[in-house]
Amino acid sequence: MPAFEYEALDATGKKSRGLITADSEVAARRELRGRAMAPLSIRYADQRAERRAKSMGERSSGFSLAPSNLSNRELMLITRQMASLIGAGMPIAETLGLIAHQGSKHHAKRILTAVRARVTEGEKLSTAMDGFPNSFPPVYRAMVAAGENSGGLDAVLERLADYLEKDEAVRSRVTGAMIYPAILSIVALGVVALLMTFIVPRIAEQFVGMGMDLPGLTRAMIAISAFLQVGWPFLLAGILVLVVISVLALRQEPVRRSLDGFLARIPGLGGFLEHAESARFCRTMSILIDSGSVLPDALRAARRAAGNLAFRDELGKVIRDVESGRGLSDAMRNRGWFPPLSLFMIAAGERSGALGEMFRRSADQLDQDVDRTISVGLNLLEPGIILVLGVVVVTIVLSILLPILQLNTMALG
């Protein structure tokens, strides 16, 4: 039975929002009227049910500016709660209902209630999550399905929660560390703009009025200043157009694949991307294999989790090699993306039968390497910004001082 999100007026005329399960939108409206409520809008909480209804000619009403998908942090918290409650022996349907009504935000409550309705009808949890692909990524659903098939859903959810928690911690640390450099950059750019649009033009007027033969650096600064004063709207419009074109282009898979391949070939950055993607791959593989997934299925799920399309293509070649009978470590070694230590550990896991454990150890090692690289990069970012902007400011000041020094020389001569 599908779930519906509604807005309605109660007997006192107060607007209320909530969720209700019914066979159809008409039945949902009838149920609300039976509760002495006047429905204002009703929409499917379940995206897949809504698509089915629209294909049959039925339309849902209502519009909302509220978020409709789970954020990374919300998914992490929900996964942790599900792992604890299911591990304690609570049925899945009751677990989803309890989490939905224990302080979840409205959109999270809507999603969880819709998933619970499907589970109550007899669907598996992973199948019920298919209606919300933007909230539960494909690899997430694959891991949940593996846990259901192996009978260790609580353990899989616990590992998933650990993985999401670590990923959220890295995101928060990077975001927090970027705040000060961002503020510093904005203030410095404001100072440069002030110098170029107000200070340099005033001083340039004095020099030009004297009929001096200005140094080349000063003439260049005056030309740039004149352009910024007149052409800043065109410059701003050009930047906005470039941003829009870039965003639209990156939505095209061939463009993004080419960019990902180019970034992977940049010295320094390419090595970091390879370690980051390899760490995600190894972590995903460790969870899937420990959950009972067969190797080809685990590789396909891990491939869907890859963020870099060039790396995803390489994993596709690994899958073809494995399915043709080649060993996993040999197939990975031929691709050139994976660090030697990871290849050695995976080969050892194949020989010992502890492939999931070796993937986990490899992921831990790669995560440490990635964390160190991020820490070093963030520590170097602030002085790098100061150095670059300092050079810009010194260049502007020097362009002002050179004519003054020239005047002093002429006066002394």
Side-chain angles (χ1 to χ4, degrees), residues 27-64:
R29 290 181 180 275
R30 187 183 305 115
E31 175 68 20
L32 289 173
R33 293 191 184 97
R35 300 180 186 179
M37 302 178 70
L40 298 176
S41 66
I42 294 180
R43 63 186 295 269
Y44 278 97
D46 188 328
Q47 297 172 4
R48 191 171 70 179
E50 182 176 12
R51 290 194 295 268
R52 285 201 304 263
K54 288 182 177 180
S55 66
M56 296 171 62
E58 183 179 337
R59 294 185 301 173
S60 61
S61 60
F63 176 76
S64 176

mmCIF file of all heavy atoms in Angstrom, residues 27-64:
data_model
loop_
_atom_site.group_PDB
_atom_site.id
_atom_site.type_symbol
_atom_site.label_atom_id
_atom_site.label_comp_id
_atom_site.label_asym_id
_atom_site.label_seq_id
_atom_site.Cartn_x
_atom_site.Cartn_y
_atom_site.Cartn_z
ATOM 1 N N ALA A 27 -8.562 7.326 -2.206
ATOM 2 C CA ALA A 27 -8.765 6.687 -0.912
ATOM 3 C C ALA A 27 -8.099 7.495 0.204
ATOM 4 O O ALA A 27 -8.624 7.576 1.325
ATOM 5 C CB ALA A 27 -8.214 5.267 -0.941
ATOM 6 N N ALA A 28 -6.954 8.111 -0.083
ATOM 7 C CA ALA A 28 -6.281 8.932 0.922
ATOM 8 C C ALA A 28 -7.128 10.149 1.274
ATOM 9 O O ALA A 28 -7.250 10.525 2.453
ATOM 10 C CB ALA A 28 -4.909 9.356 0.413
ATOM 11 N N ARG A 29 -7.720 10.785 0.264
ATOM 12 C CA ARG A 29 -8.591 11.926 0.530
ATOM 13 C C ARG A 29 -9.814 11.499 1.346
ATOM 14 O O ARG A 29 -10.259 12.206 2.262
ATOM 15 C CB ARG A 29 -9.032 12.567 -0.786
ATOM 16 C CG ARG A 29 -7.913 13.279 -1.530
ATOM 17 C CD ARG A 29 -8.423 13.911 -2.824
ATOM 18 N NE ARG A 29 -7.354 14.592 -3.525
ATOM 19 C CZ ARG A 29 -6.961 15.848 -3.296
ATOM 20 N NH1 ARG A 29 -7.607 16.549 -2.357
ATOM 21 N NH2 ARG A 29 -5.987 16.395 -3.969
ATOM 22 N N ARG A 30 -10.360 10.325 1.018
ATOM 23 C CA ARG A 30 -11.521 9.828 1.747
ATOM 24 C C ARG A 30 -11.157 9.560 3.205
ATOM 25 O O ARG A 30 -11.937 9.872 4.123
ATOM 26 C CB ARG A 30 -12.030 8.556 1.071
ATOM 27 C CG ARG A 30 -13.350 8.036 1.661
ATOM 28 C CD ARG A 30 -13.783 6.730 1.021
ATOM 29 N NE ARG A 30 -13.873 6.850 -0.434
ATOM 30 C CZ ARG A 30 -13.109 6.195 -1.287
ATOM 31 N NH1 ARG A 30 -12.179 5.355 -0.832
ATOM 32 N NH2 ARG A 30 -13.268 6.341 -2.584
ATOM 33 N N GLU A 31 -9.959 9.010 3.418
ATOM 34 C CA GLU A 31 -9.511 8.727 4.771
ATOM 35 C C GLU A 31 -9.338 10.021 5.574
ATOM 36 O O GLU A 31 -9.709 10.093 6.752
ATOM 37 C CB GLU A 31 -8.183 7.962 4.726
ATOM 38 C CG GLU A 31 -7.529 7.706 6.072
ATOM 39 C CD GLU A 31 -8.310 6.727 6.929
ATOM 40 O OE1 GLU A 31 -9.128 5.966 6.372
ATOM 41 O OE2 GLU A 31 -8.094 6.735 8.157
ATOM 42 N N LEU A 32 -8.810 11.055 4.936
ATOM 43 C CA LEU A 32 -8.629 12.334 5.631
ATOM 44 C C LEU A 32 -9.973 12.956 5.980
ATOM 45 O O LEU A 32 -10.147 13.498 7.085
ATOM 46 C CB LEU A 32 -7.816 13.291 4.756
ATOM 47 C CG LEU A 32 -6.329 12.956 4.591
ATOM 48 C CD1 LEU A 32 -5.683 13.878 3.568
ATOM 49 C CD2 LEU A 32 -5.606 13.071 5.926
ATOM 50 N N ARG A 33 -10.918 12.896 5.065
ATOM 51 C CA ARG A 33 -12.242 13.445 5.367
ATOM 52 C C ARG A 33 -12.900 12.664 6.504
ATOM 53 O O ARG A 33 -13.640 13.224 7.316
ATOM 54 C CB ARG A 33 -13.123 13.411 4.113
ATOM 55 C CG ARG A 33 -12.643 14.359 3.013
ATOM 56 C CD ARG A 33 -13.675 14.495 1.908
ATOM 57 N NE ARG A 33 -13.182 15.335 0.819
ATOM 58 C CZ ARG A 33 -12.636 14.882 -0.292
ATOM 59 N NH1 ARG A 33 -12.528 13.552 -0.482
ATOM 60 N NH2 ARG A 33 -12.202 15.704 -1.231
ATOM 61 N N GLY A 34 -12.619 11.349 6.558
ATOM 62 C CA GLY A 34 -13.140 10.565 7.672
ATOM 63 C C GLY A 34 -12.556 10.984 9.012
ATOM 64 O O GLY A 34 -13.162 10.738 10.061
ATOM 65 N N ARG A 35 -11.419 11.603 8.992
ATOM 66 C CA ARG A 35 -10.799 12.135 10.211
ATOM 67 C C ARG A 35 -11.193 13.591 10.471
ATOM 68 O O ARG A 35 -10.574 14.276 11.274
ATOM 69 C CB ARG A 35 -9.278 12.041 10.111
ATOM 70 C CG ARG A 35 -8.733 10.637 9.930
ATOM 71 C CD ARG A 35 -7.213 10.688 9.846
ATOM 72 N NE ARG A 35 -6.639 9.380 9.541
ATOM 73 C CZ ARG A 35 -5.334 9.159 9.393
ATOM 74 N NH1 ARG A 35 -4.476 10.168 9.557
ATOM 75 N NH2 ARG A 35 -4.883 7.960 9.104
ATOM 76 N N ALA A 36 -12.195 14.088 9.745
ATOM 77 C CA ALA A 36 -12.670 15.470 9.875
ATOM 78 C C ALA A 36 -11.592 16.462 9.461
ATOM 79 O O ALA A 36 -11.406 17.518 10.073
ATOM 80 C CB ALA A 36 -13.155 15.763 11.294
ATOM 81 N N MET A 37 -10.880 16.137 8.398
ATOM 82 C CA MET A 37 -9.829 17.013 7.878
ATOM 83 C C MET A 37 -10.120 17.312 6.414
ATOM 84 O O MET A 37 -10.607 16.449 5.677
ATOM 85 C CB MET A 37 -8.448 16.364 8.013
ATOM 86 C CG MET A 37 -8.076 15.994 9.437
ATOM 87 S SD MET A 37 -6.476 15.169 9.567
ATOM 88 C CE MET A 37 -5.373 16.533 9.188
ATOM 89 N N ALA A 38 -9.848 18.565 6.008
ATOM 90 C CA ALA A 38 -10.072 18.976 4.627
ATOM 91 C C ALA A 38 -8.739 18.959 3.891
ATOM 92 O O ALA A 38 -7.871 19.808 4.153
ATOM 93 C CB ALA A 38 -10.679 20.372 4.586
ATOM 94 N N PRO A 39 -8.530 18.021 2.973
ATOM 95 C CA PRO A 39 -7.230 17.921 2.283
ATOM 96 C C PRO A 39 -6.985 19.103 1.351
ATOM 97 O O PRO A 39 -7.875 19.504 0.590
ATOM 98 C CB PRO A 39 -7.346 16.608 1.507
ATOM 99 C CG PRO A 39 -8.813 16.358 1.358
ATOM 100 C CD PRO A 39 -9.466 16.966 2.566
ATOM 101 N N LEU A 40 -5.775 19.667 1.421
ATOM 102 C CA LEU A 40 -5.354 20.746 0.531
ATOM 103 C C LEU A 40 -4.495 20.215 -0.612
ATOM 104 O O LEU A 40 -4.647 20.638 -1.754
ATOM 105 C CB LEU A 40 -4.577 21.808 1.322
ATOM 106 C CG LEU A 40 -5.349 22.521 2.445
ATOM 107 C CD1 LEU A 40 -4.417 23.456 3.197
ATOM 108 C CD2 LEU A 40 -6.540 23.281 1.877
ATOM 109 N N SER A 41 -3.590 19.327 -0.292
ATOM 110 C CA SER A 41 -2.732 18.747 -1.320
ATOM 111 C C SER A 41 -2.306 17.354 -0.872
ATOM 112 O O SER A 41 -2.124 17.099 0.322
ATOM 113 C CB SER A 41 -1.502 19.622 -1.579
ATOM 114 O OG SER A 41 -0.672 19.657 -0.444
ATOM 115 N N ILE A 42 -2.153 16.476 -1.849
ATOM 116 C CA ILE A 42 -1.722 15.101 -1.590
ATOM 117 C C ILE A 42 -0.743 14.708 -2.682
ATOM 118 O O ILE A 42 -0.994 14.961 -3.865
ATOM 119 C CB ILE A 42 -2.912 14.116 -1.566
ATOM 120 C CG1 ILE A 42 -3.825 14.403 -0.384
ATOM 121 C CG2 ILE A 42 -2.416 12.674 -1.501
ATOM 122 C CD1 ILE A 42 -5.022 13.485 -0.301
ATOM 123 N N ARG A 43 0.371 14.149 -2.276
ATOM 124 C CA ARG A 43 1.358 13.680 -3.251
ATOM 125 C C ARG A 43 1.933 12.361 -2.759
ATOM 126 O O ARG A 43 1.963 12.089 -1.565
ATOM 127 C CB ARG A 43 2.484 14.703 -3.463
ATOM 128 C CG ARG A 43 3.308 14.969 -2.228
ATOM 129 C CD ARG A 43 4.306 16.108 -2.472
ATOM 130 N NE ARG A 43 5.280 15.764 -3.468
ATOM 131 C CZ ARG A 43 6.451 15.200 -3.183
ATOM 132 N NH1 ARG A 43 6.772 14.915 -1.923
ATOM 133 N NH2 ARG A 43 7.298 14.912 -4.125
ATOM 134 N N TYR A 44 2.379 11.550 -3.715
ATOM 135 C CA TYR A 44 2.981 10.275 -3.369
ATOM 136 C C TYR A 44 4.284 10.494 -2.606
ATOM 137 O O TYR A 44 5.119 11.315 -2.998
ATOM 138 C CB TYR A 44 3.266 9.442 -4.622
ATOM 139 C CG TYR A 44 2.066 8.691 -5.150
ATOM 140 C CD1 TYR A 44 1.300 9.218 -6.177
ATOM 141 C CD2 TYR A 44 1.728 7.456 -4.618
ATOM 142 C CE1 TYR A 44 0.200 8.536 -6.664
ATOM 143 C CE2 TYR A 44 0.637 6.763 -5.110
ATOM 144 C CZ TYR A 44 -0.127 7.304 -6.128
ATOM 145 O OH TYR A 44 -1.205 6.629 -6.614
ATOM 146 N N ALA A 45 4.451 9.777 -1.532
ATOM 147 C CA ALA A 45 5.735 9.781 -0.824
ATOM 148 C C ALA A 45 6.725 8.844 -1.497
ATOM 149 O O ALA A 45 7.931 8.988 -1.333
ATOM 150 C CB ALA A 45 5.537 9.368 0.636
ATOM 151 N N ASP A 46 6.225 7.889 -2.244
ATOM 152 C CA ASP A 46 7.039 6.873 -2.903
ATOM 153 C C ASP A 46 7.202 7.248 -4.376
ATOM 154 O O ASP A 46 6.232 7.327 -5.120
ATOM 155 C CB ASP A 46 6.340 5.513 -2.777
ATOM 156 C CG ASP A 46 7.211 4.378 -3.268
ATOM 157 O OD1 ASP A 46 7.998 4.598 -4.199
ATOM 158 O OD2 ASP A 46 7.096 3.281 -2.706
ATOM 159 N N GLN A 47 8.429 7.524 -4.803
ATOM 160 C CA GLN A 47 8.672 7.969 -6.173
ATOM 161 C C GLN A 47 8.276 6.908 -7.197
ATOM 162 O O GLN A 47 7.732 7.214 -8.253
ATOM 163 C CB GLN A 47 10.148 8.323 -6.344
ATOM 164 C CG GLN A 47 10.577 9.493 -5.464
ATOM 165 C CD GLN A 47 12.070 9.697 -5.496
ATOM 166 O OE1 GLN A 47 12.786 9.017 -6.220
ATOM 167 N NE2 GLN A 47 12.565 10.630 -4.685
ATOM 168 N N ARG A 48 8.535 5.643 -6.907
ATOM 169 C CA ARG A 48 8.213 4.601 -7.885
ATOM 170 C C ARG A 48 6.704 4.444 -8.028
ATOM 171 O O ARG A 48 6.184 4.271 -9.128
ATOM 172 C CB ARG A 48 8.850 3.270 -7.462
ATOM 173 C CG ARG A 48 8.797 2.223 -8.543
ATOM 174 C CD ARG A 48 9.627 1.015 -8.184
ATOM 175 N NE ARG A 48 9.039 0.257 -7.100
ATOM 176 C CZ ARG A 48 9.576 -0.858 -6.609
ATOM 177 N NH1 ARG A 48 10.710 -1.310 -7.109
ATOM 178 N NH2 ARG A 48 8.994 -1.498 -5.615
ATOM 179 N N ALA A 49 5.969 4.527 -6.905
ATOM 180 C CA ALA A 49 4.511 4.450 -6.974
ATOM 181 C C ALA A 49 3.935 5.632 -7.728
ATOM 182 O O ALA A 49 2.968 5.513 -8.471
ATOM 183 C CB ALA A 49 3.922 4.380 -5.559
ATOM 184 N N GLU A 50 4.579 6.805 -7.564
ATOM 185 C CA GLU A 50 4.104 7.978 -8.287
ATOM 186 C C GLU A 50 4.294 7.792 -9.786
ATOM 187 O O GLU A 50 3.416 8.152 -10.581
ATOM 188 C CB GLU A 50 4.866 9.212 -7.801
ATOM 189 C CG GLU A 50 4.409 10.502 -8.460
ATOM 190 C CD GLU A 50 5.118 11.706 -7.873
ATOM 191 O OE1 GLU A 50 6.096 11.531 -7.149
ATOM 192 O OE2 GLU A 50 4.673 12.827 -8.165
ATOM 193 N N ARG A 51 5.421 7.218 -10.196
ATOM 194 C CA ARG A 51 5.636 6.991 -11.624
ATOM 195 C C ARG A 51 4.611 5.996 -12.173
ATOM 196 O O ARG A 51 4.132 6.147 -13.292
ATOM 197 C CB ARG A 51 7.061 6.485 -11.865
ATOM 198 C CG ARG A 51 8.128 7.541 -11.635
ATOM 199 C CD ARG A 51 9.467 7.087 -12.211
ATOM 200 N NE ARG A 51 9.988 5.926 -11.521
ATOM 201 C CZ ARG A 51 10.804 5.999 -10.482
ATOM 202 N NH1 ARG A 51 11.168 7.169 -10.010
ATOM 203 N NH2 ARG A 51 11.263 4.896 -9.897
ATOM 204 N N ARG A 52 4.319 4.953 -11.359
ATOM 205 C CA ARG A 52 3.313 3.987 -11.812
ATOM 206 C C ARG A 52 1.953 4.648 -11.975
ATOM 207 O O ARG A 52 1.231 4.401 -12.934
ATOM 208 C CB ARG A 52 3.219 2.825 -10.814
ATOM 209 C CG ARG A 52 4.368 1.853 -10.873
ATOM 210 C CD ARG A 52 3.969 0.525 -10.258
ATOM 211 N NE ARG A 52 3.500 0.678 -8.894
ATOM 212 C CZ ARG A 52 4.256 0.484 -7.819
ATOM 213 N NH1 ARG A 52 5.522 0.148 -7.970
ATOM 214 N NH2 ARG A 52 3.764 0.628 -6.624
ATOM 215 N N ALA A 53 1.604 5.515 -11.011
ATOM 216 C CA ALA A 53 0.297 6.169 -11.071
ATOM 217 C C ALA A 53 0.200 7.100 -12.272
ATOM 218 O O ALA A 53 -0.810 7.166 -12.963
ATOM 219 C CB ALA A 53 0.052 6.954 -9.778
ATOM 220 N N LYS A 54 1.313 7.824 -12.552
ATOM 221 C CA LYS A 54 1.284 8.728 -13.694
ATOM 222 C C LYS A 54 1.185 7.966 -15.002
ATOM 223 O O LYS A 54 0.558 8.419 -15.952
ATOM 224 C CB LYS A 54 2.535 9.610 -13.678
ATOM 225 C CG LYS A 54 2.507 10.665 -12.586
ATOM 226 C CD LYS A 54 3.730 11.556 -12.635
ATOM 227 C CE LYS A 54 3.643 12.646 -11.566
ATOM 228 N NZ LYS A 54 4.826 13.535 -11.598
ATOM 229 N N SER A 55 1.814 6.797 -15.078
ATOM 230 C CA SER A 55 1.728 6.003 -16.301
ATOM 231 C C SER A 55 0.318 5.481 -16.528
ATOM 232 O O SER A 55 -0.068 5.176 -17.646
ATOM 233 C CB SER A 55 2.708 4.830 -16.227
ATOM 234 O OG SER A 55 2.322 3.919 -15.213
ATOM 235 N N MET A 56 -0.482 5.425 -15.449
ATOM 236 C CA MET A 56 -1.869 4.981 -15.558
ATOM 237 C C MET A 56 -2.820 6.164 -15.688
ATOM 238 O O MET A 56 -4.034 6.006 -15.680
ATOM 239 C CB MET A 56 -2.251 4.150 -14.325
ATOM 240 C CG MET A 56 -1.456 2.863 -14.197
ATOM 241 S SD MET A 56 -1.732 2.043 -12.606
ATOM 242 C CE MET A 56 -3.474 1.700 -12.729
ATOM 243 N N GLY A 57 -2.259 7.368 -15.783
ATOM 244 C CA GLY A 57 -3.115 8.533 -15.984
ATOM 245 C C GLY A 57 -3.514 9.228 -14.715
ATOM 246 O O GLY A 57 -4.292 10.182 -14.750
ATOM 247 N N GLU A 58 -2.999 8.824 -13.562
ATOM 248 C CA GLU A 58 -3.371 9.446 -12.301
ATOM 249 C C GLU A 58 -2.311 10.482 -11.956
ATOM 250 O O GLU A 58 -1.123 10.254 -12.089
ATOM 251 C CB GLU A 58 -3.431 8.386 -11.199
ATOM 252 C CG GLU A 58 -3.896 8.929 -9.854
ATOM 253 C CD GLU A 58 -3.963 7.820 -8.821
ATOM 254 O OE1 GLU A 58 -4.084 6.652 -9.231
ATOM 255 O OE2 GLU A 58 -3.904 8.122 -7.636
ATOM 256 N N ARG A 59 -2.704 11.676 -11.481
ATOM 257 C CA ARG A 59 -1.774 12.740 -11.158
ATOM 258 C C ARG A 59 -1.878 13.071 -9.674
ATOM 259 O O ARG A 59 -2.952 13.014 -9.085
ATOM 260 C CB ARG A 59 -2.071 14.007 -11.981
ATOM 261 C CG ARG A 59 -1.840 13.814 -13.468
ATOM 262 C CD ARG A 59 -2.038 15.110 -14.210
ATOM 263 N NE ARG A 59 -3.398 15.627 -14.007
ATOM 264 C CZ ARG A 59 -3.787 16.823 -14.446
ATOM 265 N NH1 ARG A 59 -2.952 17.595 -15.098
ATOM 266 N NH2 ARG A 59 -5.032 17.230 -14.227
ATOM 267 N N SER A 60 -0.764 13.442 -9.106
ATOM 268 C CA SER A 60 -0.760 13.869 -7.714
ATOM 269 C C SER A 60 -0.614 15.374 -7.660
ATOM 270 O O SER A 60 0.001 15.984 -8.524
ATOM 271 C CB SER A 60 0.401 13.208 -6.953
ATOM 272 O OG SER A 60 1.629 13.576 -7.508
ATOM 273 N N SER A 61 -1.159 15.988 -6.653
ATOM 274 C CA SER A 61 -1.129 17.435 -6.512
ATOM 275 C C SER A 61 -0.187 17.820 -5.402
ATOM 276 O O SER A 61 0.242 17.017 -4.601
ATOM 277 C CB SER A 61 -2.536 17.958 -6.205
ATOM 278 O OG SER A 61 -3.016 17.390 -5.000
ATOM 279 N N GLY A 62 0.122 19.106 -5.362
ATOM 280 C CA GLY A 62 0.988 19.599 -4.293
ATOM 281 C C GLY A 62 2.358 19.965 -4.810
ATOM 282 O O GLY A 62 2.868 19.389 -5.753
ATOM 283 N N PHE A 63 2.946 20.973 -4.147
ATOM 284 C CA PHE A 63 4.294 21.429 -4.519
ATOM 285 C C PHE A 63 5.004 21.824 -3.252
ATOM 286 O O PHE A 63 4.420 22.441 -2.357
ATOM 287 C CB PHE A 63 4.189 22.616 -5.475
ATOM 288 C CG PHE A 63 5.520 23.208 -5.838
ATOM 289 C CD1 PHE A 63 6.357 22.573 -6.737
ATOM 290 C CD2 PHE A 63 5.932 24.385 -5.255
ATOM 291 C CE1 PHE A 63 7.580 23.112 -7.066
ATOM 292 C CE2 PHE A 63 7.159 24.925 -5.572
ATOM 293 C CZ PHE A 63 7.973 24.294 -6.480
ATOM 294 N N SER A 64 6.275 21.467 -3.160
ATOM 295 C CA SER A 64 7.032 21.762 -1.944
ATOM 296 C C SER A 64 8.444 22.164 -2.313
ATOM 297 O O SER A 64 9.056 21.583 -3.210
ATOM 298 C CB SER A 64 7.063 20.536 -1.018
ATOM 299 O OG SER A 64 7.879 20.789 0.108
#
